[in-house]
Amino acid sequence: MQRPQDKRTSFNQGNKLSKLQKNEGTTKTFTFASGKKVNATRIVIASNELESKTTIHKLNPRIQKSLTLDSVRDILDSIKQEGVHTEGVAIKNGQNVYELLDSSRRRFSCIHTQKDLPLWVIEDTINENDLVAFIQTTQSVKRLSYRELGSDYDVLMKEGGFNKIDELAEYLSLGRETCRKRYVAASINQKLISVFPDCEGIPNSYYAKLAKIEKQLNKEKTSITTFINSLKLSDDDENTCVEDKQKSILQRMENKLKKTTGKVTWKTTSLAEFNDKNTYAKILKSSDNRSLKIELSRLPSEFYDDIVQYISAKINFK
């Protein structure tokens, strides 16, 4: 299955999606990558009908559940003040719902600012390869994250019967390292991602660090929810920019993990007092509560046998 972000197909848009007259019914011609030309009609979807009359096309890779006011901050104020100047492109399905090939961020912003959304509605059937190529050309305003780009890599691995990243990379005509980074980013638990404002807009360099954090939490058998709650994050500082908030949250995660993964120390407790200094019975317990040592010296041998049998019985009890 070819994907919008990986399909190596050029797309020559014959007419720019620029400012046009606002009346509905205007038509224009789109030329797709295969050379096919189709007509499109301009319509305007009222703000109060956006959620019922529009949806996102299945080939649009933008992760919709990650859209927030922070993630559209670059266009939100402009749309709130002036409305949408650049039309989206859509296909009308059998249920009379418009499936957006692009403009999902504009749609989200319009819903929140109660602004209408203008669309070019394609009037003909377009094959998937042309749609994939077109969608690829529309992601220039806000580039897709590694996580979005790799969102279906796991499915592609299973469908293609691939066992190695190298095989997937070859299939997608990508470099191995690029493919690996996207795969890792998409594999990170959503809870660790969602804690960031504009979570799909975090720097791509964060993903390797978050993957390391998740691995350490799994090793320690610490739930991600417990870990996140321990960070005691708040939205009090509204004047801090999103980028600084993202940086601060990652720093808190790393600092918290350093504290929990510090050097293990041992606490020694004596079990009894003896006149002979070379005779002792003591327990050593690790600070992480993962290890326990029992040290015995110069005690009757039958004690050792009894203790070993007792521990063995406890461990093997079913």
Side-chain angles (χ1 to χ4, degrees):
M1 183 182 76
Q2 292 288 352
R3 307 166 67 255
Q5 52 270 37
D6 299 315
K7 178 72 176 178
R8 302 297 180 89
T9 306
S10 62
F11 174 73
N12 180 22
Q13 185 173 307
N15 296 290
K16 300 292 184 181
L17 295 182
S18 58
K19 296 180 181 178
L20 299 171
Q21 53 185 309
K22 295 184 178 181
N23 60 298
E24 296 185 64
T26 304
T27 61
K28 67 178 297 184
T29 300
F30 283 91
T31 303
F32 284 85
S34 65
K36 182 174 182 176
K37 297 179 183 292
V38 298
N39 291 328
T41 301
R42 188 180 189 276
I43 67 169
V44 177
I45 306 295
S47 60
N48 61 351
E49 296 180 320
L50 279 172
E51 294 187 88
S52 62
K53 285 191 174 184
T54 65
T55 188
I56 310 305
H57 195 281
K58 65 179 182 180
L59 293 178
N60 188 328
R62 185 78 67 187
I63 298 178
Q64 300 304 304
K65 63 183 179 182
S66 295
L67 289 179
T68 64
L69 296 181
D70 282 330
S71 68
V72 297
R73 63 191 182 281
D74 56 320
I75 62 174
L76 188 65
D77 286 343
S78 172
I79 290 177
K80 183 176 181 179
Q81 295 172 15
E82 303 174 14
V84 176
H85 293 306
T86 304
E87 294 85 349
V89 180
I91 294 175
K92 192 175 184 180
N93 65 26
Q95 289 72 47
N96 293 321
V97 174
Y98 299 98
E99 298 182 1
L100 306 186
L101 300 177
D102 61 357
S103 65
S104 64
R105 297 173 72 237
R106 276 167 279 170
R107 174 184 182 270
F108 180 87
S109 299
C110 286
I111 290 173
H112 283 271
T113 57
Q114 297 184 321
K115 296 293 182 179
D116 300 343
L117 178 64
L119 296 172
W120 288 113
V121 180
I122 295 173
E123 301 173 354
D124 200 353
T125 300
I126 308 298
N127 67 50
E128 186 169 304
N129 286 340
D130 271 343
L131 291 179
V132 164
F134 171 76
I135 291 173
Q136 185 181 21
T137 69
T138 67
Q139 307 300 329
S140 59
V141 176
K142 183 171 183 177
R143 296 181 66 84
L144 295 167
S145 68
Y146 276 0
R147 188 171 173 80
E148 289 172 315
L149 291 167
S151 61
D152 60 354
Y153 278 16
D154 188 54
V155 173
L156 291 176
M157 288 277 285
K158 292 175 181 176
E159 289 182 348
F162 305 138
N163 297 313
K164 298 180 180 179
I165 286 294
D166 306 65
E167 297 172 315
L168 179 63
E170 182 179 356
Y171 171 73
L172 296 174
S173 300
L174 291 173
R176 182 192 182 282
E177 190 61 13
T178 296
C179 188
R180 184 193 67 79
K181 288 179 178 179
R182 293 177 180 181
Y183 184 87
V184 169
S187 301
I188 296 170
N189 190 292
Q190 182 64 40
K191 291 180 181 178
L192 276 178
I193 300 294
S194 297
V195 73
F196 291 91
D198 187 13
C199 62
E200 297 302 337
I202 62 175
N204 284 327
S205 60
Y206 281 29
Y207 292 119
K209 297 177 181 179
L210 290 172
K212 184 177 180 181
I213 289 172
E214 183 175 8
K215 182 179 180 180
Q216 185 62 43
L217 293 176
N218 289 335
K219 182 179 179 181
E220 296 177 359
K221 297 182 180 180
T222 301
S223 77
I224 292 177
T225 299
T226 299
F227 175 70
I228 291 174
N229 290 339
S230 72
L231 299 176
K232 298 180 181 179
L233 303 174
S234 67
D235 299 322
D236 293 341
D237 195 356
E238 296 181 356
N239 295 322
T240 304
C241 70
V242 169
E243 290 76 11
D244 286 344
K245 288 181 181 178
Q246 293 172 339
K247 185 177 180 180
S248 175
I249 290 172
L250 180 62
Q251 189 66 55
R252 287 195 186 193
M253 288 182 173
E254 292 180 321
N255 289 342
K256 183 71 175 179
L257 210 58
K258 286 179 182 177
K259 293 180 181 179
T260 59
T261 58
K263 185 177 180 180
V264 174
T265 57
W266 293 85
K267 180 180 179 181
T268 303
T269 303
S270 178
L271 296 178
E273 296 294 333
F274 302 94
N275 293 327
D276 183 357
K277 65 178 181 180
N278 292 319
T279 301
Y280 57 80
K282 57 186 178 181
I283 292 177
L284 291 82
K285 189 174 184 180
S286 66
S287 57
D288 60 2
N289 293 320
R290 298 180 68 181
S291 299
L292 181 73
K293 299 178 182 178
I294 299 176
E295 292 190 5
L296 306 173
S297 176
R298 296 192 176 182
L299 294 175
S301 60
E302 59 267 22
F303 281 17
Y304 300 155
D305 293 337
D306 289 345
I307 291 171
V308 170
Q309 289 177 14
Y310 177 77
I311 293 175
S312 178
K314 279 289 186 181
I315 292 175
N316 293 300
F317 177 76
K318 294 183 180 180

